[in-house]
Amino acid sequence: MLNNTKIRRKPNIRISQADHERLSALASTVAARNPEASDELLAELERARVVADGWVSAGTVRMGSAVTFKPDTGDRKTVTLVYPGDADISEGKVSVLTPIGTALIGLSAGQSIMWTARDGRRHELLVLGVSHPASEGDGAERLALASPAIAAGP
């Protein structure tokens, strides 16, 4: 009997050289005490296209990005992707070592991904927009939306 379940490929992702190096070191550091999170992060880093710092587009999720996404479980959410020591869910700061944090890294506005929550359930999310803190002297946040139709949403 054939299994009609369609396996979806994960979307292409891009990560800056600096984020790749720091995240690889983080995954190695936590491997002994949190092997599942380490393995998931390393798998994402392995499949990522690593680009020179400064060559990651404004619409790509990187460390420190504010990400607006629509989960399959309800209304749109906005979180900031941070390192574990800065995580605070009450402030919307999500660690890159959480399943959803690992799923978000390297995605661009308009991309969707299937990810597995800690309880084993599979979910899908769609990235609607990505913004980054203002650079020194920049004076404004940079925001990239997937498209007006997607960004507006229901």
Side-chain angles (χ1 to χ4, degrees):
M1 181 175 209
L2 292 175
N3 183 350
N4 288 333
T5 305
K6 184 178 178 182
I7 304 293
R8 290 183 57 182
R9 276 186 23 163
K10 289 190 173 188
N12 295 328
I13 59 174
R14 290 192 164 153
I15 298 178
S16 71
Q17 182 70 38
D19 275 354
H20 192 274
E21 289 172 8
R22 287 186 72 189
L23 293 172
S24 295
L26 174 64
S28 297
T29 300
V30 301
R33 69 179 181 272
N34 195 344
E36 289 177 12
S38 175
D39 289 348
E40 284 295 318
L41 182 55
L42 286 171
E44 289 300 284
L45 293 172
E46 189 172 299
R47 72 182 194 85
R49 179 172 177 214
V50 181
V51 297
D53 298 342
W55 284 88
V56 177
S57 72
T60 300
V61 179
R62 57 187 189 258
M63 296 307 298
S65 296
V67 186
T68 301
F69 63 94
K70 181 156 180 32
D72 57 5
T73 56
D75 295 332
R76 69 176 59 199
K77 300 178 187 287
T78 299
V79 299
T80 301
L81 189 62
V82 298
Y83 290 96
D86 297 324
D88 184 343
I89 199 66
S90 68
E91 293 182 11
K93 295 178 179 178
V94 174
S95 169
V96 70
L97 288 179
T98 62
I100 197 165
T102 298
L104 287 169
I105 192 72
L107 290 176
S108 295
Q111 288 184 306
S112 63
I113 191 168
M114 295 292 298
W115 62 281
T116 304
R118 287 186 175 134
D119 64 6
R121 289 188 294 171
R122 302 268 301 151
H123 296 281
E124 184 173 19
L125 64 82
L126 170 65
V127 176
L128 300 174
V130 180
S131 63
H132 305 283
S135 300
E136 293 291 323
D138 192 10
E141 283 194 355
R142 290 173 287 165
L143 174 65
L145 296 173
S147 76
I150 292 173

